[in-house]
Amino acid sequence: MSELYSEHPVMFKNNPLGFILCLILIPVGGLGLLILLTWHLRNKASKLTVNDNDNEILFEKGLLSKERSEVNLASVRTTKVKQSFFNRIFGVGSIEIFTAGDSPEIVAIGMPDPNKIRELIKANQNGG
């Protein structure tokens, strides 16, 4: 299985002000450390993968209980990338993948280089 893209959401680049605030809160009874640990575990529990050989997009999230969404590249109708001004500066964003209907099949927030994902999907939809 050849992975064209396989990433977890990022912490600092997705929310730099929140990250700095957590660092400031570390001396306050370790509150910032607890927030950072929870945030880190949530990010590591989510992963978006675009596979070349299987022609599918896989999104997994959850530590103890898992939620797994698989979408065939050929069935993708729309790929939407959302980036705020700061997201664009840091090269992160949210990606929504639609197949049919008005609600997205996959929503991945805080992904590094979301436009790369969109381009990979477009390039591999029709077999490359």
Side-chain angles (χ1 to χ4, degrees):
M1 172 169 40
S2 174
E3 293 180 348
L4 299 172
Y5 180 92
S6 183
E7 294 286 343
H8 298 277
V10 292
M11 288 177 60
F12 176 76
K13 289 181 178 182
N14 188 40
N15 189 351
L17 298 176
F19 190 86
I20 292 168
L21 180 64
C22 287
L23 292 177
I24 292 170
L25 288 175
I26 287 176
V28 183
L31 179 63
L33 193 59
L34 183 62
I35 294 170
L36 282 173
L37 180 62
T38 304
W39 188 7
H40 176 72
L41 288 175
R42 281 190 182 157
N43 283 343
K44 289 301 175 189
S46 298
K47 186 176 185 180
L48 181 69
T49 305
V50 179
N51 291 324
D52 184 19
N53 294 348
D54 299 336
N55 286 327
E56 70 179 9
I57 304 161
L58 174 65
F59 184 63
E60 293 179 300
K61 65 181 182 177
L63 276 178
L64 300 176
S65 58
K66 289 275 189 188
E67 181 180 321
R68 181 180 175 139
S69 301
E70 295 179 30
V71 173
N72 191 302
L73 284 170
S75 67
V76 174
R77 181 176 49 92
T78 306
T79 305
K80 185 185 287 187
V81 173
K82 294 182 180 180
Q83 291 180 295
S84 68
F85 175 71
F86 285 111
N87 286 155
R88 289 181 61 205
I89 289 172
F90 289 112
V92 298
S94 299
I95 187 150
E96 297 179 355
I97 299 170
F98 296 81
T99 56
D102 294 332
S103 60
E105 304 298 319
I106 294 174
V107 177
I109 299 169
M111 300 307 295
D113 203 359
N115 288 307
K116 177 181 177 183
I117 302 166
R118 184 178 47 82
E119 293 301 321
L120 285 171
I121 291 170
K122 285 175 102 176
N124 289 283
Q125 274 185 319
N126 301 321

